[in-house]
Amino acid sequence: MKDVIKLENVEQYNDLFGLETLHPLVSVVDLSQATRHPEHFVLNYGLYALFLKQTRCGDIRYGRQTYDYQEGTVTSFAPGQIVETTLEQGTPLNACGLLFHPDLIKGTSLGQEIKHYSFFAYSSNEALHLSEEERSVFLDCLKKIQMELNHPIDRHSKRLISKNIELLLDYCMRFYERQFTTRAVVNKDVLMRFEDLLDEYFASDKPQTEGLPSVRYFAEKVFLSPNYFGDLVKKETGKTPQEYIQTKLIDQAKEMIASTEKTVSQIAYELGFQYSQHFNRIFKKNVGYTPGEYRKLLA
């Protein structure tokens, strides 16, 4: 792997492709105007970034996986993510996007809400696939931001730029939710696999050796990032993965309390709890009774 470029400002990215920088903290990028064409580079993002790939021009790798992107897809990256890009020789670059530094949105409504745009944490095989209409909306938002960057900086500039970025991100959230719906069959397969994996987990010795099951464990098993997996499960079931896991956990606990003579401590251990007191609290919160009280009700 090539040396990692620590991308700390938008000018570094623009210099990589020979593009002009109009603002130190934000840039609308049009790679079709690039005067430099690096073939392979690895970036450690210190910025937020979204790119719309108008044509396929190479591969993007996030961790060990290749991004599922082709014509008309959006990829998004957040500070701290390391991304490897290989561009195909002789293929014209036809991509546009937005880069902005976290400092740009400090003290704005976007700064307070940025953590809710979960697609920034999506990784392998989770690009956003846009329709023609959605692509037009994305490009129109970029035009509005570019218009503000071309305008002389005044006391309204920061607010207007951040508001237009927020509008773009809101549209992307809408488009991702649409994607969850249009990929309903794939999503159902993921949920069925999740259910099977939960059953397998509790039927094995994993609770005793690895503890309580985590969302990350199941996300990795279905080859999705925890954020994307979480959004998918929430969209399909109305529950977060953690709530889904806890429901299965309580069902297992009820079954063991009803069908065995094992002590509460033994049941807690076999389910992956380090301390039986923790098990008691979780059980009572969900059932309304302690495990001991629940057993007496069944007697």
Side-chain angles (χ1 to χ4, degrees):
M1 182 183 287
K2 290 190 66 172
D3 291 341
V4 177
I5 301 170
K6 190 167 177 57
L7 194 64
E8 297 178 329
N9 55 68
V10 297
E11 188 172 10
Q12 281 179 282
Y13 188 91
N14 287 334
D15 286 347
L16 186 64
F17 289 94
L19 298 169
E20 183 182 8
T21 299
L22 299 177
H23 191 290
L25 297 178
V26 58
S27 183
V28 173
V29 173
D30 182 356
L31 291 182
S32 69
Q33 303 299 311
T35 58
R36 299 192 187 105
H37 298 82
E39 293 179 9
H40 180 230
F41 51 92
V42 183
L43 299 178
N44 181 349
Y45 277 88
L47 313 170
Y48 290 98
L50 295 102
F51 298 104
L52 169 61
K53 306 294 181 181
Q54 310 257 40
T55 58
R56 183 173 177 81
C57 53
D59 290 324
I60 294 177
R61 291 182 67 81
Y62 182 97
R64 297 180 180 179
Q65 299 290 331
T66 300
Y67 239 112
D68 172 24
Y69 90 90
Q70 52 221 264
E71 181 180 351
T73 58
V74 173
T75 54
S76 52
F77 309 110
Q81 294 180 348
I82 298 175
V83 180
E84 181 180 0
T85 302
T86 302
L87 299 175
E88 295 175 0
Q89 258 186 318
T91 302
L93 293 177
N94 190 2
C96 58
L98 174 72
L99 297 106
F100 61 97
H101 195 282
D103 287 352
L104 176 76
I105 59 175
K106 289 191 185 304
T108 69
S109 59
L110 179 56
Q112 296 173 346
E113 295 295 322
I114 192 70
K115 62 182 178 293
H116 298 303
Y117 297 102
S118 52
F119 53 80
F120 276 118
Y122 294 168
S123 55
S124 58
N125 301 316
E126 297 154 18
L128 171 59
H129 302 261
L130 299 186
S131 67
E132 284 291 337
E133 183 179 354
E134 290 167 347
R135 206 180 310 187
S136 296
V137 171
F138 188 98
L139 293 172
D140 187 58
C141 288
L142 290 185
K143 286 179 184 176
K144 287 183 170 65
I145 298 166
Q146 184 65 53
M147 183 177 69
E148 280 303 319
L149 293 178
N150 290 333
H151 191 282
I153 294 176
D154 58 28
R155 66 188 184 91
H156 302 287
S157 298
K158 179 177 179 177
R159 181 172 178 274
L160 287 170
I161 290 170
S162 66
K163 282 291 185 183
N164 278 296
I165 293 174
E166 192 168 4
L167 179 63
L168 173 61
L169 301 186
D170 283 342
Y171 273 118
C172 286
M173 283 293 286
R174 170 184 279 180
F175 300 155
Y176 258 114
E177 288 178 7
R178 183 272 307 155
Q179 182 162 291
F180 288 138
T181 301
T182 56
R183 292 187 165 189
V185 174
V186 175
N187 295 347
K188 292 295 183 186
D189 287 344
V190 170
L191 284 178
M192 289 174 63
R193 179 68 178 137
F194 179 29
E195 185 71 32
D196 289 343
L197 286 166
L198 268 171
D199 289 338
E200 289 172 13
Y201 195 95
F202 286 113
S204 70
D205 64 353
K206 280 188 171 64
Q208 296 98 64
T209 59
E210 300 183 23
L212 293 171
S214 68
V215 174
R216 178 172 292 277
Y217 171 86
F218 295 109
E220 288 177 352
K221 289 292 184 182
V222 296
F223 306 106
L224 296 174
S225 66
N227 278 57
Y228 192 93
F229 179 65
D231 287 351
L232 186 156
V233 173
K234 179 73 172 178
K235 178 73 175 177
E236 292 294 325
T237 69
K239 293 181 180 180
T240 66
Q242 191 59 53
E243 290 169 340
Y244 204 91
I245 291 168
Q246 198 164 99
T247 298
K248 174 66 72 172
L249 184 70
I250 295 302
D251 285 344
Q252 288 288 119
K254 285 180 175 180
E255 181 64 28
M256 293 173 76
I257 290 169
S259 62
T260 75
E261 294 183 359
K262 293 176 181 178
T263 67
V264 171
S265 293
Q266 286 175 311
I267 292 171
Y269 171 73
E270 290 186 18
L271 289 174
F273 286 91
Q274 190 172 2
Y275 303 105
S276 60
Q277 297 95 321
H278 184 201
F279 170 57
N280 287 343
R281 285 197 302 273
I282 295 293
F283 192 91
K284 184 169 184 178
K285 181 181 177 181
N286 283 271
V287 181
Y289 301 97
T290 65
E293 290 168 344
Y294 183 75
R295 176 167 271 165
K296 287 179 182 176
L297 286 173
L298 300 176

